[in-house]
Amino acid sequence: MLTTSGRQFIVEADGGSRGNPGPAAYGAVVRDPQTSEVLAAEGLPIGRATNNVAEYRGLIAGLEMARDLDPTAALDVRMDSKLVIEQMAGRWKIKHPDMKPLALQATRLRPASVTWTWVPREKNKAADSLVNRALDGDPVPRQHPVDRPR
């Protein structure tokens, strides 16, 4: 069993589609909770998908980036998708067949300590901006700004 490192991260994730289903993308940001510094970010198109599939893909990207930084860090996951937050917190059942494998993948990626926080759309602007950039043809490949040479 992994013990926690004592580190904490905020994961902000979003997904969207233009049409439902339609062209879709996700965005995810990992932040330091003390400084709000962006430690990692990604915003990519995923082809044709529903909004909910895109939301889950954003969550998965955020969890992957947080794990890359520190697999034992505690996370505060913040999303404006009530569906994804409630399903991942175990309060709502996952009924749709397209959501089940994505939820399982997210469950496998999450660390031992996770807080699931629903936020209003206006408090999820960084992740939302990455979604729209990807949909507009300006994707942001996975970046870990703290790892870049100076």
Side-chain angles (χ1 to χ4, degrees), residues 44-136:
L44 295 175
I46 58 172
R48 187 175 169 82
T50 65
N51 184 63
N52 290 334
V53 165
E55 295 275 8
Y56 264 105
R57 292 286 302 274
L59 170 62
I60 289 164
L63 293 172
E64 287 173 346
M65 290 187 294
R67 177 175 269 197
D68 288 348
L69 293 166
D70 184 340
T72 65
L75 302 182
D76 180 7
V77 175
R78 300 175 183 178
M79 297 181 71
D80 60 28
S81 170
K82 187 87 166 159
L83 177 82
V84 173
I85 290 295
E86 294 298 326
Q87 286 179 341
M88 291 306 301
R91 293 185 288 264
W92 291 4
K93 290 186 178 183
I94 303 165
K95 297 178 183 175
H96 197 283
D98 290 349
M99 302 298 109
K100 289 180 181 183
L102 295 169
L104 181 60
Q105 184 178 0
T107 298
R108 289 179 176 150
L109 286 166
R110 72 181 186 200
S113 179
V114 183
T115 302
W116 302 101
T117 306
W118 175 83
V119 294
R121 178 167 290 177
E122 58 271 11
K123 299 239 181 198
N124 204 25
K125 287 184 179 175
D128 180 67
S129 173
L130 289 167
V131 171
N132 285 304
R133 280 184 62 177
L135 287 170
D136 292 340

